Amino acid sequence: MALIALLGAFLIPILLSSLQGLTHVLTCQQKTNVPFTVELPPHGQPTISSSAVITRDQAAGLCGGLRLDMRVGQESANKVKIILPIANHTKHDWQGSVKLNLGGTSVPVRIGGVPAGQTREDTIHFHVDPGTHEINGSLLIGP
């Protein structure tokens, strides 16, 4: 009975841990700071706008050399396409995901393995209700 209790004590941290929908352990999480705003009037086409500030002393990339260049485009009258490419400018292979903030909802999107010097991407489709919605992302990287 004591051995079972001792084994159970070691399993408690494993059972209580959560990756919150991710398939890899995080070693770096960094926000892109390039929000997109999607505005859909009750009758009409959506308007997609974004802005980014580029400075001369800007770092080489997120998480030590990785780059996330989110793109958003119109797919139909009430649907947008979000393209999430992660470029790996390091000497190491990484597992990559993107945490999208769609309005008030956070959604992890698995990109998968990103070999050194290569780019991997995923595309998701987002149904837009009438109104204004902000889309922002964070890069989630693990070994």
Side-chain angles (χ1 to χ4, degrees):
M1 191 60 100
L3 287 174
I4 293 173
L6 183 62
L7 181 61
F10 286 113
L11 292 177
I12 289 173
I14 294 171
L15 296 174
L16 295 178
S17 66
S18 171
L19 293 177
Q20 300 175 356
L22 295 176
T23 58
H24 57 87
V25 177
L26 291 182
T27 58
C28 178
Q29 177 175 353
Q30 198 166 359
K31 210 170 183 181
T32 61
N33 293 325
V34 182
F36 291 87
T37 302
V38 178
E39 184 175 350
L40 179 62
H43 303 288
Q45 299 294 321
T47 302
I48 301 170
S49 61
S50 178
S51 65
V53 176
I54 300 172
T55 61
R56 181 179 295 219
D57 298 326
Q58 190 171 12
L62 302 172
C63 296
L66 299 164
R67 187 172 177 148
L68 172 63
D69 290 322
M70 287 177 45
R71 297 186 300 258
V72 178
Q74 180 180 350
E75 194 166 75
S76 66
N78 61 350
K79 190 181 270 190
V80 295
K81 173 173 52 173
I82 304 169
I83 302 169
L84 304 164
I86 298 177
N88 184 353
H89 299 290
T90 69
K91 297 178 183 177
H92 307 286
D93 296 346
W94 293 99
Q95 289 290 324
S97 296
V98 177
K99 180 173 73 172
L100 282 179
N101 294 320
L102 305 169
T105 305
S106 178
V107 178
V109 178
R110 183 180 186 276
I111 306 298
V114 185
Q118 294 188 18
T119 301
R120 295 284 188 259
E121 71 177 41
D122 196 3
T123 302
I124 66 166
H125 308 276
F126 178 56
H127 182 276
V128 181
D129 293 326
T132 302
H133 309 278
E134 185 172 315
I135 301 171
N136 204 338
S138 298
L139 184 62
L140 307 175
I141 296 298

